[in-house]
Amino acid sequence: MSTRTLVSPAVLARPCGKAVYWTVFTGVVLLFALAFLFPVYWMATSAMKSPDEVAQTPPTLLPKRWHLDGFTDAWDLMQLPQHLWNTVVQAAGAWAFQLVFCTAAAYALSKLRPAFGNVVLGGILATLMVPAQALVVPKYLTVADLPLIHTSLLNDPLAIWLPAVANAFNLYLLKRFFDQLPRDVLEAAEIDGAGRLRILWSVVLPMSRPVLGVVSIFALVAVWQDFLWPLMVFSDTDKQPISVALVQLSQNIQLTVLVAAMVIASIPMVALFLVFQRHIIAGISAGSTKG
């Protein structure tokens, strides 16, 4: 069965058609690359300019003189090591909680088939239709006075970790992947005497590395870039993550120092993507087709 495309194979076979195709394709790729990379380039070069040059009109594409003092000043004046560590602790805890509980819930809904499982899944997916801003007040009241035990989680990493567990999108992503795992492999494990937990640990999880990688990236990035929720639950400035600290400490800081701090804060997530980009792409495409 032939697949219809925008440009027919006959046109691509001609030298003129091939030249036009590759010219348009290269131009579009370069345009999108420029649109995504230019803001990053502008942020990095602005951190190396003098304060007067940053405010200059028209702006300069390259610094007239390269200044690296902004990075050292940002590191010291804005207490970046402490706030970066706070962010790492909060992101790592949210990632671990989310990976354990979302994986267990998705496995139960997909393979254990509990009673009223579809109703539960429908209720979980219904939360995706509720704007995130509408849930801020109920979440805050919950962590400020935890039901049953009446304990406040304010200024505690648990205020970030526990709400992060209730991620309907990642749970649904995991369930859809588990649904497409070969049943023959799971039945063979059952015949060999493996229980439900052993099948999950020894069979399902090793086969689910691509989607687990994607869920991990989503979980880490969501916490790393979140601003409103950490601002509400961390009144103690010594415990605030980098996203909140950059705003709170930027009042009497030079613009170049603030931009340098933004560059430093963005390096971990950029590095994480560059290292795991192959796994991210594989996880996004995993389970999209059968056979």
Side-chain angles (χ1 to χ4, degrees), residues 208-274:
S208 305
R209 287 177 182 172
V211 73
L212 291 177
V214 173
V215 169
S216 299
I217 294 297
F218 287 166
L220 291 173
V221 171
V223 176
W224 197 275
Q225 69 180 6
D226 195 12
F227 172 76
L228 178 60
W229 181 243
L231 177 65
M232 295 180 64
V233 299
F234 287 107
S235 58
D236 187 351
T237 55
D238 292 335
K239 297 182 179 180
Q240 290 175 343
I242 189 68
S243 59
V244 178
L246 287 178
V247 178
Q248 299 285 59
L249 301 176
S250 63
Q251 304 301 324
N252 300 317
I253 297 295
Q254 287 185 348
L255 181 58
T256 53
V257 176
L258 179 60
V259 175
M262 293 178 182
V263 173
I264 296 174
S266 63
I267 288 176
M269 288 296 101
V270 174
L272 186 69
F273 172 77
L274 292 178

Side-chain angles (χ1 to χ4, degrees), residues 14-28:
R14 302 172 189 166
C16 181
K18 185 179 296 186
V20 171
Y21 172 80
W22 283 109
T23 301
V24 173
F25 177 79
T26 304
V28 171

Side-chain angles (χ1 to χ4, degrees), residues 79-97:
Q79 304 174 352
L80 291 188
Q82 178 180 355
H83 295 296
L84 283 172
W85 175 248
N86 293 339
T87 310
V88 169
V89 171
Q90 295 167 21
W95 165 76
F97 270 77

Side-chain angles (χ1 to χ4, degrees), residues 14-284:
R14 302 172 189 166
C16 181
K18 185 179 296 186
V20 171
Y21 172 80
W22 283 109
T23 301
V24 173
F25 177 79
T26 304
V28 171
V29 170
L30 291 177
L31 184 63
F32 274 92
L34 181 64
F36 282 101
L37 295 179
F38 184 76
V40 178
Y41 165 81
W42 188 259
M43 180 176 64
T45 55
S46 296
M48 303 179 192
K49 297 177 181 179
S50 64
D52 295 334
E53 189 178 356
V54 171
Q56 176 181 325
T57 303
T60 56
L61 289 177
L62 285 174
K64 297 177 181 178
R65 293 186 59 186
W66 297 85
H67 300 271
L68 299 179
D69 298 340
F71 293 99
T72 56
D73 292 342
W75 189 263
D76 296 330
L77 296 178
M78 304 192 73
Q79 304 174 352
L80 291 188
Q82 178 180 355
H83 295 296
L84 283 172
W85 175 248
N86 293 339
T87 310
V88 169
V89 171
Q90 295 167 21
W95 165 76
F97 270 77
Q98 199 169 135
L99 211 60
V100 170
F101 289 101
C102 285
T103 301
Y107 177 71
L109 292 172
S110 175
K111 299 303 180 184
L112 303 185
R113 304 295 177 86
F116 305 107
N118 290 333
V119 177
V120 173
L121 179 62
I124 294 173
L125 294 180
T127 61
L128 293 174
M129 311 302 171
V130 182
Q133 294 79 4
L135 301 176
V136 169
V137 174
K139 283 199 305 182
Y140 181 83
L141 295 177
T142 301
V143 300
D145 185 15
L146 206 62
L148 300 180
I149 59 177
H150 299 291
T151 301
S152 175
L153 298 181
L154 299 180
N155 293 312
D156 192 302
L158 284 171
I160 301 292
W161 298 348
L162 295 183
V165 174
N167 192 307
F169 177 78
N170 284 346
L171 189 150
Y172 181 70
L173 191 65
L174 287 165
K175 181 188 178 299
R176 290 296 300 164
F177 185 88
F178 293 161
D179 287 342
Q180 301 198 22
L181 292 178
R183 177 162 291 276
D184 296 342
V185 177
L186 304 183
E187 291 177 350
E190 290 182 2
I191 294 174
D192 290 340
R196 298 293 188 181
L197 289 178
R198 183 60 183 271
I199 292 175
L200 173 63
W201 181 259
S202 301
V203 180
V204 175
L205 292 183
M207 296 174 66
S208 305
R209 287 177 182 172
V211 73
L212 291 177
V214 173
V215 169
S216 299
I217 294 297
F218 287 166
L220 291 173
V221 171
V223 176
W224 197 275
Q225 69 180 6
D226 195 12
F227 172 76
L228 178 60
W229 181 243
L231 177 65
M232 295 180 64
V233 299
F234 287 107
S235 58
D236 187 351
T237 55
D238 292 335
K239 297 182 179 180
Q240 290 175 343
I242 189 68
S243 59
V244 178
L246 287 178
V247 178
Q248 299 285 59
L249 301 176
S250 63
Q251 304 301 324
N252 300 317
I253 297 295
Q254 287 185 348
L255 181 58
T256 53
V257 176
L258 179 60
V259 175
M262 293 178 182
V263 173
I264 296 174
S266 63
I267 288 176
M269 288 296 101
V270 174
L272 186 69
F273 172 77
L274 292 178
V275 172
F276 295 103
Q277 60 177 326
R278 182 169 59 87
H279 301 283
I280 296 170
I281 297 173
I284 291 174

